[in-house]
């Protein structure tokens, strides 16, 4: 954990923020997974993020759309 020292003292706040950062990054990247929860300190120096596959299909990338438009001409 990049925030381990602070998280050991303020686990509620730091781990919630870390989970939110992961969720936001995955959403922004349109990742095929979401971060559902974080298990702080599953081992002394390890936290576990639980990921779930998204149900919704990801939109096509701009390059794939362009290729489709070119084929239709």
């Amino acid at each position: 954990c990049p925030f381990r020292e602070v998280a050991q003292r303020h686990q509620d706040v730091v781990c919630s923020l870390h989970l939110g950062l992961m969720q936001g990054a995955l959403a922004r990247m349109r990742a095929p997974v979401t971060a559902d929860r974080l298990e702080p300190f599953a081992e002394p120096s390890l936290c576990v993020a639980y990921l779930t596959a998204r149900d919704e299909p990801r939109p096509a990338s701009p390059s794939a759309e362009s290729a489709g438009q070119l084929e239709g001409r």
Side-chain angles (χ1 to χ4, degrees):
C1 172
F3 313 110
R4 183 175 58 201
E5 290 179 20
V6 177
Q8 289 172 333
R9 288 179 270 140
H10 305 285
Q11 183 174 321
D12 302 3
V13 174
V14 174
C15 296
S16 294
L17 288 171
H18 195 187
L19 177 60
L21 287 170
M22 288 188 291
Q23 290 168 333
L26 291 168
R28 179 76 176 155
M29 292 184 292
R30 296 183 177 153
V33 296
T34 59
D36 294 327
R37 68 185 179 95
L38 185 63
E39 183 180 336
F41 304 107
E43 293 183 15
S45 62
L46 176 74
C47 296
V48 177
Y50 290 87
L51 307 177
T52 302
R54 286 189 181 273
D55 291 333
E56 59 196 56
R58 294 185 341 187
S61 67
S63 60
E65 289 177 17
S66 298
Q69 290 173 355
L70 292 175
E71 289 174 6
R73 289 187 179 180

